Amino acid sequence: MKIFSFGMDQLTVNELKLAGFTVVTQNVLPEPSQTQGQMLMVTSEQVPVSGLSELRRGYPNSSLLYVYRQKGVRSYQSIHMLCESLGIFFIPPRSTSSAIVDKLRYILEEEREERSNLVGFFGSGPGIGCTSMAKLFARRMAAAGMQVILLGLNLYDPGYDRKTAISLDRLRPRLTGKMLQAGDFEGLVRQEGYAYLPGNFDYLSVQDYQEEEIEYLLAKAAEAADVVVADFGSVPESAAWYVGMQKSALRMIVTHPKHEYRLQSLMELAGHMDLHPQDFQWLINRGNVEELSSPKNLALRFGSEILLELPYYQPFQDSLPLGKRELQHVDDKVHALLVALGLAPEARKKGIFQ
């Protein structure tokens, strides 16, 4: 199938071609007869939302893909709904070129060969313990013999109390110029067996980060470690959060029953990126704090799985003060995670694979 592209930037077009797609770049909308039985991909910069109905009528025998460029977590849900009603495929804002490739493969039902070693941690609200959970899993993966890099990609919170010689904002010029080397990862902060890149200390630059920069960092980190753990924080309005949602092989949501209303919005937002509740594992933090709804009832309502529940702890320094039994429970989950990533063999216990 040919893809007629109207309004897409040349870098994305090149990525599509490298992925094996036949792309025909257009300066104006092509004739409907040209695209019959083919795909027409247009951007919101070239075709406004008000012109979608007319676009559908003008190309009744073509597959249509609408790339919505207006950034922001609000306003585009109604655009997605309109596209669905018109039979038009939808690409949300902040989608990277690789996410568009994945979408096209999904539409064309092609097999996805890319295997990711990225485990993304997302919080349902500030202060829920996303960074602590990410550090816990990184520490236990390292204890299991894995080479682990933990990336602080919550652009609104560095996740570290002290300014360090290396951090996300200090590394950024090398991201922008695509000049990362293996030595850059060797200089990361060493913490309990894993390498840690503290996040962004420069709060004024939060909205300046580009999706391509984050995607490049994740790709280079994946080459330097067995597992990449990333703390993407709990604020969706950042390039890193969106890329993390798109690129993670496993997505961990750190939450609590009192965040039920936040989870509702989070799941709706994920739905616009072709993600569903079953694509997430929930980590219930402070699970012993009384709430009207239990974690189990919350998970049943949304259709997600609870991977782990941890109780509330008094203020701690850096590592969660887990007891021996809790630590064993975490290690069991970590092993299952490594098996899912293809990094550990299935363990046979009493004749049953675990």
Side-chain angles (χ1 to χ4, degrees), residues 2-294:
K2 291 182 180 179
I3 301 172
F4 291 82
S5 169
F6 180 42
M8 294 299 297
D9 61 276
Q10 193 57 47
L11 286 175
T12 301
V13 169
N14 291 342
E15 287 292 326
L16 297 180
K17 289 180 178 179
L18 286 172
F21 296 106
T22 302
V23 184
V24 181
T25 305
Q26 299 287 138
N27 294 322
V28 296
L29 282 171
E31 291 294 323
S33 58
Q34 288 182 271
T35 63
Q36 187 169 350
Q38 310 298 326
M39 174 174 286
L40 174 59
M41 179 167 56
V42 301
T43 71
S44 56
E45 293 156 344
Q46 302 296 329
V47 177
V49 173
S50 59
L52 284 175
S53 296
E54 183 180 348
L55 184 72
R56 178 75 277 178
R57 286 193 297 269
Y59 296 86
N61 300 315
S62 304
S63 296
L64 299 180
L65 182 63
Y66 192 58
V67 183
Y68 191 60
R69 295 289 202 188
Q70 186 64 43
K71 292 183 179 180
V73 298
R74 295 174 181 245
S75 79
Y76 71 79
Q77 287 85 347
S78 59
I79 315 302
H80 193 174
M81 181 177 176
L82 175 61
C83 287
E84 285 291 317
S85 67
L86 294 172
I88 299 173
F89 294 105
F90 179 80
I91 298 285
R94 295 191 181 276
S95 293
T96 63
S97 55
S98 64
I100 296 175
V101 168
D102 285 345
K103 181 75 172 187
L104 287 169
R105 286 175 175 163
Y106 170 76
I107 294 170
L108 301 175
E109 296 183 348
E110 291 185 3
E111 200 66 35
R112 303 183 192 186
E113 298 178 356
E114 183 180 353
R115 191 178 184 93
S116 172
N117 63 349
L118 174 63
V119 182
F121 284 76
F122 305 84
S124 60
I128 193 62
C130 190
T131 303
S132 298
M133 284 288 196
K135 289 182 176 181
L136 169 63
F137 272 74
R139 174 162 59 101
R140 299 317 300 168
M141 287 180 200
M146 295 293 113
Q147 187 176 2
V148 181
I149 290 177
L150 172 58
L151 301 176
L153 290 176
N154 177 0
L155 303 186
Y156 293 88
D157 187 343
Y160 205 69
D161 293 332
R162 301 177 300 280
K163 196 86 182 264
T164 54
I166 186 168
S167 60
L168 181 63
D169 49 307
R170 293 193 175 188
L171 206 60
R172 194 182 176 200
R174 301 185 68 77
L175 302 183
T176 305
K178 294 194 173 181
M179 299 183 296
L180 279 182
Q181 304 293 330
D184 292 315
F185 294 102
E186 293 172 4
L188 299 185
V189 178
R190 303 302 303 186
Q191 279 198 327
E192 300 182 286
Y194 60 87
Y196 178 45
L197 177 68
N200 178 47
F201 288 88
D202 181 9
Y203 304 113
L204 298 180
S205 70
V206 167
Q207 292 296 332
D208 295 334
Y209 280 88
Q210 300 298 309
E211 288 78 2
E212 290 75 15
E213 295 171 339
I214 303 300
E215 194 171 35
Y216 172 69
L217 172 60
L218 292 174
K220 299 303 287 186
E223 297 172 2
D226 297 322
V227 187
V228 177
V229 178
D231 169 21
F232 292 106
S234 59
V235 182
E237 193 48 44
S238 82
W241 192 95
Y242 273 84
V243 174
M245 277 285 173
Q246 295 166 26
K247 302 297 291 183
S248 296
L250 295 169
R251 301 170 185 85
M252 308 294 179
I253 300 290
V254 183
T255 188
H256 184 263
K258 70 179 180 181
H259 283 189
E260 183 173 357
Y261 72 99
R262 294 175 183 263
L263 286 166
Q264 180 70 46
S265 299
L266 192 61
M267 291 297 104
E268 289 176 1
L269 183 58
H272 294 287
M273 290 181 276
D274 297 318
L275 295 172
H276 308 283
Q278 60 267 28
D279 295 317
F280 298 91
Q281 298 286 332
W282 285 7
L283 305 173
I284 307 294
N285 200 12
R286 308 161 193 163
N288 57 339
V289 178
E290 290 295 329
E291 289 294 331
L292 293 175
S293 178
S294 70

Side-chain angles (χ1 to χ4, degrees), residues 330-354:
V330 172
D331 285 345
D332 290 342
K333 301 302 182 182
V334 165
H335 179 77
L337 185 153
L338 294 175
V339 170
L341 292 176
L343 296 172
E346 292 181 285
R348 184 184 291 273
K349 292 183 180 180
K350 298 181 180 179
I352 300 175
F353 281 105
Q354 299 292 327

